[in-house]
Amino acid sequence: MTIRQHLRAILATTSRHYTIASSPPFQFTTTDAGKLYEIPKADYDRLNFNKMLPLALTKQFGTIDECVTMIRPPLVEVSSYMKTARTNFSSLRLCLWGRFGTGKTTTLNQAVHMASSEGWVVVHLKSVLSLTRKVQEVDMSTYQPGRINDPMRATEILQLFKQQNTHLWKRLSELMTTKSYEWTKNDKTVEGKPLTDIVEMGLSAPYLASDCVGALFKELRLHASKGEIKLFVGIDDSNSLWGKTLVKKADRTKAKAHELTLVQHYKNFLQNDWSNGTVLLVADQKEVSDARDSLTVPLYTPLELFGDEGFDFIDPFIPIETSIYTKEEANTIFEYYKTKQWLATPGAKDNTGRIQIAELSGYNPFYFERICAFV
Amino acid sequence: MLRPFLRSSLGNATRFLGTEASAISEEDAGAPRNLKRIGRALETYLRHSRENASMMARERADFDLGKRHLANMMGIDPHTINQNDIDKAIEYLFPSSLFDKKARPVMRPPDEILPRFNRFTFDDEGRPSDSRFYTLRPKFYALLSEIGLKTYNVSRLHAEHVKLNRKDDVNDQTVSLTGTTWINEEKMKKKLGENITTEMYAHLFLAFDYLVSLPGSVVESEFISQFREPLTSATASRIFGPEIPKVEICSKTNRRTATASVRVKSTNATVTVSDAGTGQWDIDGLTMHNFRSLLAREVLLCPLIVANLIGQVDVKATTVGAGGATAVPRAVRHGTALGLAALFPDVEEKLRLAGLISWDPRDKERNKVNQPGARAKWIWKRR
């Protein structure tokens, strides 16, 4: 055997057994499904994916030091619907649904990256549950009596919006407000001021932030409809917009979700009155599952999770189901983990290990990754 | 392979005939000595035959009486006691820790355990009635001839069928052999009642194999099925442990399945294992990844890993009762192990050594009066 043959043999054994997609995310087609692609580090940081993605996944990305995810059929489906966005066509509502761990949140984040890298303005919410169940301090709305503001969360929303759209900030500052906003007697944003002023106003005065979020969202919808920007709205755990809250009112009763200002602002994206954008919702079983009960397997279809009221509200929408890995997908991700030493023990790396990991996880992406993390 | 054997056996037979012929010729010469000797041999045979018959009758009577005694001792109805009850009673009355199962005490009908007496039939003049008597293995050669005749018949029918260009597909089919295998040498010996060599068994095997390979051999399926047995473990002789379920063949999919009913604590599960699968799970409508606990998934997969059949069988289970986080997977595990043992007899020993075949008899301990639980006590306080 010559040296060249030797080298070729070595190369053959060390070459990758997975394929990396080369086209930009928005151009993915069904033939790309099952391939891997990388989200650049700069985009990962700008979109704050370290906080937006599930904890287990960010730990893996941190250790491997790159954000490589798989193109799965739901992502291709989302991108194909996003391509239909235009001014004379009402915004589409897409709803991701599926079993626990099958990639609803990951697909949402991938879609956010896809939209952002195409120059769309992105409004991204990690979880509606943070608006309804993790409210730290409240004050009553002055704009609409009976509404409950959440200044801390509203500030966070504005901050995230500013961070995720940094690369479009110049473009956003060229967009002008369509009407005057009188926040208080002293604080005003008159008509024809840059849109970014509303964000800055909310960030500098947290007690105005909740109203600023509403005004910002409304202006974004108007400008999208005019065709000046394209708007992508991603709302995780969106069935909680009609869920129960832990916010207590003055009379010690629990507030309803529709009484919360921020919930109302996000619901306004689900109307048919704007165009040139896409709303991606996630129906998640967190809302209905009991943390103390690990045995019951809750229902997971949009009708059950949104309830009658929520379902009627978002209807018509396009359901997109996420599912467990196929055998080929599991093999691809296994080869990737093997190359990146995410699989550490020798027993896990051979064929028997591959089959056992896949069967033990039931081909569920979440369990698959978790088992690979410790074998 | 057959030729040297035939030569030797035929040689024996001719020698035998030769002796007789010479005896007759000597008788003609006026010396009846040899005929007398043959007559004595016959007499001895007849005496042995009578002795054996009376001995067997006595043994049978003893067995029946013993069975009644045993039934009385064990409190079973003597009229309905069966072999299974007897085996259990003997195991109970004479517990044996001997390793070899053949060395343990047994009580079985004398026809099963006593050596068989080889009977011949003779006509009035003392000549054997079976024409193959002088081959020394009349039953073996009769079977071989029968296979030959059937083979000829099948090929003739098929040839006719081809010649007439008939369209009915019965005459084109070969006999279906899925889920069964040829009976082994020992069983063949028992079936024929003759001592045959491995070489002779191989001849039968070859002849049968050729017969079943012929198109149209389905017409002889009834004859062939007499010499085949299902691919299951021998459950009849098992005394210890739970019963291995029977293998059934699905008429539509032609897949082999085994269904076991098992219990863990208060959970009853009916588990069906099907071979030639893709690793599908259906446990009360849930699949593998609906079990959130890794422990539960490991428990479910355990028998498949031990048997090295992961991803090759499908498991369907329904459970009844108050199943918890571990009881349901444990019940399904037991049922799966039994199903695998039925479908793949080779792995039964492996599964047994892993402790997956035997039933786990543990149960919840009852709560005690004046205590908060089975063992827990209220905190003691002086006043």
Side-chain angles (χ1 to χ4, degrees), chain A residues 18-19 21 28 32-39 57 60-61 67-76 102-103 106-107 110 323-337 365 368:
Chain A
Y18 56 89
T19 39
F28 290 156
D32 290 319
K35 287 182 187 170
L36 302 177
Y37 79 104
E38 187 178 355
I39 295 176
L57 209 52
Q60 183 213 308
F61 292 150
C67 176
V68 170
T69 50
M70 184 179 281
I71 307 162
R72 304 200 61 211
L75 180 67
V76 181
T102 50
T106 311
T107 307
Q110 287 172 329
S323 55
I324 54 174
Y325 282 145
T326 61
K327 283 211 164 107
E328 291 74 33
E329 285 174 336
N331 287 350
T332 306
I333 207 83
F334 177 84
E335 292 299 338
Y336 173 70
Y337 286 155
F368 193 94

Side-chain angles (χ1 to χ4, degrees), chain A residues 24 143 166 170 173 192 198 200 237 239 244 262:
Chain A
Y143 174 68
T166 327
K170 193 159 169 291
S173 60
I198 299 177
E200 299 303 340
D237 307 339
N239 53 317
K244 64 174 186 182
L262 291 174

Side-chain angles (χ1 to χ4, degrees), chain A residues 97-102 104 285 293-301 321-324 358-368, chain B residues 280-298 300 324-325 328-329:
Chain A
W97 66 286
R99 285 282 187 201
F100 170 79
T102 50
K104 298 182 291 294
Q285 63 188 42
D293 179 9
S294 62
L295 287 179
T296 312
V297 181
L299 294 165
Y300 63 109
T301 57
E321 189 181 3
T322 58
S323 55
I324 54 174
E359 293 288 331
L360 196 57
S361 63
Y363 290 91
N364 181 298
F366 178 83
Y367 295 139
F368 193 94
Chain B
Q280 299 291 316
W281 290 86
D282 180 356
I283 300 160
D284 294 333
L286 301 178
T287 58
M288 185 61 122
H289 78 280
N290 294 132
F291 287 83
R292 284 169 64 184
S293 140
L294 179 61
L295 181 75
R297 280 179 274 136
E298 280 174 343
L300 288 173
V328 169

